[in-house]
Amino acid sequence: MVKQRSKRLNALGFLNRRNDLEVYLFERSINSDVVVACIDKFCENLEKPTVLVIDNSSIHTSNMMLEKQQEWLEKGLSLFFLPTYSPELNIIEILWRFIKYNWLGIDAYESWENLVKAVEYIFKHFGEEYIINFA
């Protein structure tokens, strides 16, 4: 008998301290290809020079990511890598903790459908109903 892996919901997001959020949900693993595609999409809407703060995970430091840095810089996006092992400096980590430990109700875990619906609801209403005070 083949053991079936449980489904996994992954999110990749861009967040600033004004609670502006752009998020992408995936039912697959996130690798460098996915991150690059999301950053490329994010660059399409840049209106001014922007700094993207990211951690040093392997998908952020891959050759693919490093090769795209100059192209992104020309579009107005520069990358700032946080020191190793410093999730407390990454505001998106604060968002993930709020979602997991404060905003998702126990009923969200009753089924896959409930989980997806609850997470999508939070993201749709983030900045209005769901707010983080970064002050």
Side-chain angles (χ1 to χ4, degrees), residues 16-44:
N16 66 27
R17 292 182 181 278
R18 293 183 312 270
N19 285 284
D20 298 322
L21 174 67
E22 185 173 328
V23 69
Y24 302 91
L25 288 177
F26 301 93
E27 293 182 23
R28 58 168 284 202
S29 296
I30 296 177
N31 58 24
S32 292
D33 293 333
V34 172
V35 174
V36 166
C38 291
I39 294 174
D40 282 342
K41 185 75 175 158
F42 180 73
C43 283
E44 292 175 8

mmCIF file of all heavy atoms in Angstrom, residues 16-44:
data_model
loop_
_atom_site.group_PDB
_atom_site.id
_atom_site.type_symbol
_atom_site.label_atom_id
_atom_site.label_comp_id
_atom_site.label_asym_id
_atom_site.label_seq_id
_atom_site.Cartn_x
_atom_site.Cartn_y
_atom_site.Cartn_z
ATOM 1 N N ASN A 16 4.154 44.928 3.438
ATOM 2 C CA ASN A 16 4.855 46.081 4.003
ATOM 3 C C ASN A 16 4.212 46.452 5.334
ATOM 4 O O ASN A 16 3.201 45.877 5.738
ATOM 5 C CB ASN A 16 4.894 47.268 3.015
ATOM 6 C CG ASN A 16 3.541 47.852 2.714
ATOM 7 O OD1 ASN A 16 2.602 47.783 3.502
ATOM 8 N ND2 ASN A 16 3.411 48.449 1.535
ATOM 9 N N ARG A 17 4.787 47.402 6.008
ATOM 10 C CA ARG A 17 4.324 47.780 7.346
ATOM 11 C C ARG A 17 3.008 48.549 7.338
ATOM 12 O O ARG A 17 2.455 48.828 8.392
ATOM 13 C CB ARG A 17 5.408 48.576 8.077
ATOM 14 C CG ARG A 17 6.618 47.721 8.410
ATOM 15 C CD ARG A 17 7.681 48.487 9.186
ATOM 16 N NE ARG A 17 8.817 47.638 9.453
ATOM 17 C CZ ARG A 17 8.877 46.761 10.452
ATOM 18 N NH1 ARG A 17 7.879 46.633 11.275
ATOM 19 N NH2 ARG A 17 9.964 46.029 10.622
ATOM 20 N N ARG A 18 2.490 48.875 6.152
ATOM 21 C CA ARG A 18 1.172 49.509 6.041
ATOM 22 C C ARG A 18 0.076 48.460 5.815
ATOM 23 O O ARG A 18 -1.042 48.797 5.473
ATOM 24 C CB ARG A 18 1.167 50.527 4.910
ATOM 25 C CG ARG A 18 2.063 51.734 5.156
ATOM 26 C CD ARG A 18 1.971 52.761 4.037
ATOM 27 N NE ARG A 18 2.098 52.167 2.705
ATOM 28 C CZ ARG A 18 3.245 51.986 2.038
ATOM 29 N NH1 ARG A 18 4.390 52.349 2.597
ATOM 30 N NH2 ARG A 18 3.260 51.453 0.839
ATOM 31 N N ASN A 19 0.418 47.188 5.958
ATOM 32 C CA ASN A 19 -0.500 46.071 5.764
ATOM 33 C C ASN A 19 -0.937 45.906 4.311
ATOM 34 O O ASN A 19 -2.003 45.364 4.036
ATOM 35 C CB ASN A 19 -1.725 46.187 6.684
ATOM 36 C CG ASN A 19 -1.390 45.833 8.111
ATOM 37 O OD1 ASN A 19 -1.233 44.670 8.465
ATOM 38 N ND2 ASN A 19 -1.247 46.847 8.946
ATOM 39 N N ASP A 20 -0.123 46.380 3.381
ATOM 40 C CA ASP A 20 -0.351 46.078 1.966
ATOM 41 C C ASP A 20 0.218 44.691 1.726
ATOM 42 O O ASP A 20 1.391 44.439 2.032
ATOM 43 C CB ASP A 20 0.358 47.096 1.057
ATOM 44 C CG ASP A 20 -0.151 48.511 1.255
ATOM 45 O OD1 ASP A 20 -1.371 48.682 1.455
ATOM 46 O OD2 ASP A 20 0.674 49.444 1.208
ATOM 47 N N LEU A 21 -0.612 43.811 1.197
ATOM 48 C CA LEU A 21 -0.208 42.415 1.032
ATOM 49 C C LEU A 21 -0.524 41.941 -0.372
ATOM 50 O O LEU A 21 -1.614 42.153 -0.885
ATOM 51 C CB LEU A 21 -0.959 41.534 2.044
ATOM 52 C CG LEU A 21 -0.764 40.026 1.935
ATOM 53 C CD1 LEU A 21 0.670 39.634 2.277
ATOM 54 C CD2 LEU A 21 -1.749 39.299 2.843
ATOM 55 N N GLU A 22 0.459 41.289 -0.970
ATOM 56 C CA GLU A 22 0.256 40.560 -2.217
ATOM 57 C C GLU A 22 0.667 39.128 -1.911
ATOM 58 O O GLU A 22 1.796 38.884 -1.479
ATOM 59 C CB GLU A 22 1.127 41.152 -3.326
ATOM 60 C CG GLU A 22 0.903 40.538 -4.673
ATOM 61 C CD GLU A 22 1.662 41.275 -5.767
ATOM 62 O OE1 GLU A 22 1.856 42.497 -5.666
ATOM 63 O OE2 GLU A 22 2.067 40.590 -6.731
ATOM 64 N N VAL A 23 -0.244 38.202 -2.092
ATOM 65 C CA VAL A 23 0.032 36.825 -1.679
ATOM 66 C C VAL A 23 -0.366 35.853 -2.776
ATOM 67 O O VAL A 23 -1.296 36.091 -3.538
ATOM 68 C CB VAL A 23 -0.689 36.494 -0.343
ATOM 69 C CG1 VAL A 23 -2.176 36.433 -0.522
ATOM 70 C CG2 VAL A 23 -0.150 35.237 0.279
ATOM 71 N N TYR A 24 0.389 34.759 -2.844
ATOM 72 C CA TYR A 24 0.143 33.687 -3.790
ATOM 73 C C TYR A 24 0.033 32.384 -2.995
ATOM 74 O O TYR A 24 0.898 32.100 -2.171
ATOM 75 C CB TYR A 24 1.295 33.567 -4.793
ATOM 76 C CG TYR A 24 1.542 34.847 -5.565
ATOM 77 C CD1 TYR A 24 2.443 35.804 -5.083
ATOM 78 C CD2 TYR A 24 0.873 35.102 -6.751
ATOM 79 C CE1 TYR A 24 2.679 36.979 -5.786
ATOM 80 C CE2 TYR A 24 1.098 36.276 -7.456
ATOM 81 C CZ TYR A 24 1.996 37.209 -6.968
ATOM 82 O OH TYR A 24 2.217 38.363 -7.659
ATOM 83 N N LEU A 25 -1.027 31.623 -3.236
ATOM 84 C CA LEU A 25 -1.228 30.339 -2.562
ATOM 85 C C LEU A 25 -0.935 29.193 -3.516
ATOM 86 O O LEU A 25 -1.297 29.252 -4.695
ATOM 87 C CB LEU A 25 -2.668 30.203 -2.064
ATOM 88 C CG LEU A 25 -3.054 31.055 -0.878
ATOM 89 C CD1 LEU A 25 -4.530 30.864 -0.554
ATOM 90 C CD2 LEU A 25 -2.210 30.712 0.328
ATOM 91 N N PHE A 26 -0.308 28.160 -2.993
ATOM 92 C CA PHE A 26 0.063 27.003 -3.793
ATOM 93 C C PHE A 26 -0.263 25.714 -3.040
ATOM 94 O O PHE A 26 -0.077 25.646 -1.826
ATOM 95 C CB PHE A 26 1.575 27.007 -4.085
ATOM 96 C CG PHE A 26 2.036 28.228 -4.816
ATOM 97 C CD1 PHE A 26 2.514 29.329 -4.113
ATOM 98 C CD2 PHE A 26 1.990 28.283 -6.193
ATOM 99 C CE1 PHE A 26 2.941 30.462 -4.780
ATOM 100 C CE2 PHE A 26 2.416 29.416 -6.873
ATOM 101 C CZ PHE A 26 2.886 30.509 -6.167
ATOM 102 N N GLU A 27 -0.695 24.733 -3.773
ATOM 103 C CA GLU A 27 -0.889 23.396 -3.215
ATOM 104 C C GLU A 27 0.275 22.512 -3.643
ATOM 105 O O GLU A 27 0.127 21.318 -3.799
ATOM 106 C CB GLU A 27 -2.235 22.813 -3.673
ATOM 107 C CG GLU A 27 -3.418 23.544 -3.108
ATOM 108 C CD GLU A 27 -4.749 22.937 -3.522
ATOM 109 O OE1 GLU A 27 -4.799 21.739 -3.878
ATOM 110 O OE2 GLU A 27 -5.742 23.673 -3.514
ATOM 111 N N ARG A 28 1.406 23.111 -3.810
ATOM 112 C CA ARG A 28 2.631 22.409 -4.182
ATOM 113 C C ARG A 28 3.787 23.056 -3.449
ATOM 114 O O ARG A 28 3.640 24.111 -2.834
ATOM 115 C CB ARG A 28 2.852 22.474 -5.694
ATOM 116 C CG ARG A 28 2.918 23.927 -6.205
ATOM 117 C CD ARG A 28 3.414 24.027 -7.608
ATOM 118 N NE ARG A 28 4.859 23.834 -7.602
ATOM 119 C CZ ARG A 28 5.664 24.251 -8.546
ATOM 120 N NH1 ARG A 28 5.191 24.880 -9.582
ATOM 121 N NH2 ARG A 28 6.962 24.050 -8.476
ATOM 122 N N SER A 29 4.932 22.433 -3.546
ATOM 123 C CA SER A 29 6.121 23.006 -2.919
ATOM 124 C C SER A 29 6.516 24.288 -3.631
ATOM 125 O O SER A 29 6.303 24.438 -4.830
ATOM 126 C CB SER A 29 7.284 22.017 -2.999
ATOM 127 O OG SER A 29 6.992 20.872 -2.253
ATOM 128 N N ILE A 30 7.094 25.179 -2.866
ATOM 129 C CA ILE A 30 7.603 26.421 -3.446
ATOM 130 C C ILE A 30 9.105 26.262 -3.626
ATOM 131 O O ILE A 30 9.824 25.978 -2.681
ATOM 132 C CB ILE A 30 7.283 27.626 -2.531
ATOM 133 C CG1 ILE A 30 5.768 27.812 -2.445
ATOM 134 C CG2 ILE A 30 7.956 28.881 -3.055
ATOM 135 C CD1 ILE A 30 5.338 28.920 -1.504
ATOM 136 N N ASN A 31 9.548 26.436 -4.874
ATOM 137 C CA ASN A 31 10.974 26.350 -5.169
ATOM 138 C C ASN A 31 11.422 27.667 -5.803
ATOM 139 O O ASN A 31 10.643 28.615 -5.908
ATOM 140 C CB ASN A 31 11.269 25.144 -6.075
ATOM 141 C CG ASN A 31 10.497 25.201 -7.380
ATOM 142 O OD1 ASN A 31 10.088 26.266 -7.842
ATOM 143 N ND2 ASN A 31 10.285 24.042 -7.989
ATOM 144 N N SER A 32 12.653 27.727 -6.227
ATOM 145 C CA SER A 32 13.189 28.966 -6.799
ATOM 146 C C SER A 32 12.424 29.406 -8.041
ATOM 147 O O SER A 32 12.241 30.609 -8.270
ATOM 148 C CB SER A 32 14.670 28.810 -7.128
ATOM 149 O OG SER A 32 15.421 28.682 -5.948
ATOM 150 N N ASP A 33 11.979 28.464 -8.856
ATOM 151 C CA ASP A 33 11.191 28.822 -10.043
ATOM 152 C C ASP A 33 9.945 29.604 -9.646
ATOM 153 O O ASP A 33 9.595 30.605 -10.277
ATOM 154 C CB ASP A 33 10.750 27.566 -10.811
ATOM 155 C CG ASP A 33 11.892 26.808 -11.452
ATOM 156 O OD1 ASP A 33 12.917 27.437 -11.768
ATOM 157 O OD2 ASP A 33 11.754 25.594 -11.652
ATOM 158 N N VAL A 34 9.269 29.139 -8.618
ATOM 159 C CA VAL A 34 8.047 29.780 -8.145
ATOM 160 C C VAL A 34 8.362 31.163 -7.581
ATOM 161 O O VAL A 34 7.676 32.148 -7.880
ATOM 162 C CB VAL A 34 7.341 28.900 -7.089
ATOM 163 C CG1 VAL A 34 6.172 29.630 -6.449
ATOM 164 C CG2 VAL A 34 6.883 27.578 -7.706
ATOM 165 N N VAL A 35 9.413 31.251 -6.779
ATOM 166 C CA VAL A 35 9.787 32.535 -6.177
ATOM 167 C C VAL A 35 10.139 33.544 -7.265
ATOM 168 O O VAL A 35 9.671 34.694 -7.233
ATOM 169 C CB VAL A 35 10.958 32.363 -5.182
ATOM 170 C CG1 VAL A 35 11.437 33.714 -4.669
ATOM 171 C CG2 VAL A 35 10.547 31.476 -4.016
ATOM 172 N N VAL A 36 10.923 33.138 -8.237
ATOM 173 C CA VAL A 36 11.304 34.036 -9.329
ATOM 174 C C VAL A 36 10.069 34.508 -10.088
ATOM 175 O O VAL A 36 9.921 35.698 -10.380
ATOM 176 C CB VAL A 36 12.329 33.360 -10.267
ATOM 177 C CG1 VAL A 36 12.475 34.121 -11.573
ATOM 178 C CG2 VAL A 36 13.678 33.238 -9.572
ATOM 179 N N ALA A 37 9.158 33.599 -10.393
ATOM 180 C CA ALA A 37 7.937 33.981 -11.116
ATOM 181 C C ALA A 37 7.110 34.983 -10.306
ATOM 182 O O ALA A 37 6.582 35.958 -10.864
ATOM 183 C CB ALA A 37 7.110 32.739 -11.435
ATOM 184 N N CYS A 38 7.011 34.780 -9.002
ATOM 185 C CA CYS A 38 6.251 35.700 -8.151
ATOM 186 C C CYS A 38 6.932 37.065 -8.059
ATOM 187 O O CYS A 38 6.260 38.105 -8.104
ATOM 188 C CB CYS A 38 6.043 35.106 -6.764
ATOM 189 S SG CYS A 38 4.913 33.693 -6.750
ATOM 190 N N ILE A 39 8.247 37.081 -7.947
ATOM 191 C CA ILE A 39 8.962 38.360 -7.891
ATOM 192 C C ILE A 39 8.839 39.080 -9.236
ATOM 193 O O ILE A 39 8.640 40.307 -9.276
ATOM 194 C CB ILE A 39 10.431 38.170 -7.470
ATOM 195 C CG1 ILE A 39 10.501 37.658 -6.024
ATOM 196 C CG2 ILE A 39 11.211 39.478 -7.617
ATOM 197 C CD1 ILE A 39 11.900 37.308 -5.548
ATOM 198 N N ASP A 40 8.921 38.346 -10.332
ATOM 199 C CA ASP A 40 8.721 38.962 -11.645
ATOM 200 C C ASP A 40 7.349 39.624 -11.719
ATOM 201 O O ASP A 40 7.216 40.753 -12.195
ATOM 202 C CB ASP A 40 8.856 37.926 -12.764
ATOM 203 C CG ASP A 40 10.290 37.559 -13.097
ATOM 204 O OD1 ASP A 40 11.215 38.320 -12.725
ATOM 205 O OD2 ASP A 40 10.489 36.503 -13.737
ATOM 206 N N LYS A 41 6.331 38.934 -11.235
ATOM 207 C CA LYS A 41 4.969 39.483 -11.228
ATOM 208 C C LYS A 41 4.887 40.713 -10.321
ATOM 209 O O LYS A 41 4.278 41.719 -10.681
ATOM 210 C CB LYS A 41 3.984 38.398 -10.763
ATOM 211 C CG LYS A 41 2.550 38.793 -10.826
ATOM 212 C CD LYS A 41 2.066 38.779 -12.247
ATOM 213 C CE LYS A 41 0.575 39.067 -12.295
ATOM 214 N NZ LYS A 41 0.150 39.558 -13.586
ATOM 215 N N PHE A 42 5.512 40.633 -9.157
ATOM 216 C CA PHE A 42 5.537 41.751 -8.215
ATOM 217 C C PHE A 42 6.176 42.988 -8.859
ATOM 218 O O PHE A 42 5.704 44.112 -8.675
ATOM 219 C CB PHE A 42 6.310 41.332 -6.953
ATOM 220 C CG PHE A 42 6.415 42.388 -5.898
ATOM 221 C CD1 PHE A 42 5.315 42.734 -5.125
ATOM 222 C CD2 PHE A 42 7.620 43.029 -5.662
ATOM 223 C CE1 PHE A 42 5.420 43.714 -4.143
ATOM 224 C CE2 PHE A 42 7.732 43.999 -4.682
ATOM 225 C CZ PHE A 42 6.621 44.346 -3.920
ATOM 226 N N CYS A 43 7.225 42.785 -9.637
ATOM 227 C CA CYS A 43 7.929 43.894 -10.284
ATOM 228 C C CYS A 43 7.046 44.637 -11.290
ATOM 229 O O CYS A 43 7.282 45.818 -11.566
ATOM 230 C CB CYS A 43 9.177 43.388 -11.001
ATOM 231 S SG CYS A 43 10.559 43.020 -9.908
ATOM 232 N N GLU A 44 6.061 43.973 -11.835
ATOM 233 C CA GLU A 44 5.183 44.599 -12.829
ATOM 234 C C GLU A 44 4.432 45.797 -12.260
ATOM 235 O O GLU A 44 4.040 46.682 -13.008
ATOM 236 C CB GLU A 44 4.180 43.583 -13.380
ATOM 237 C CG GLU A 44 4.800 42.490 -14.225
ATOM 238 C CD GLU A 44 3.788 41.441 -14.645
ATOM 239 O OE1 GLU A 44 2.560 41.627 -14.404
ATOM 240 O OE2 GLU A 44 4.217 40.424 -15.232
#
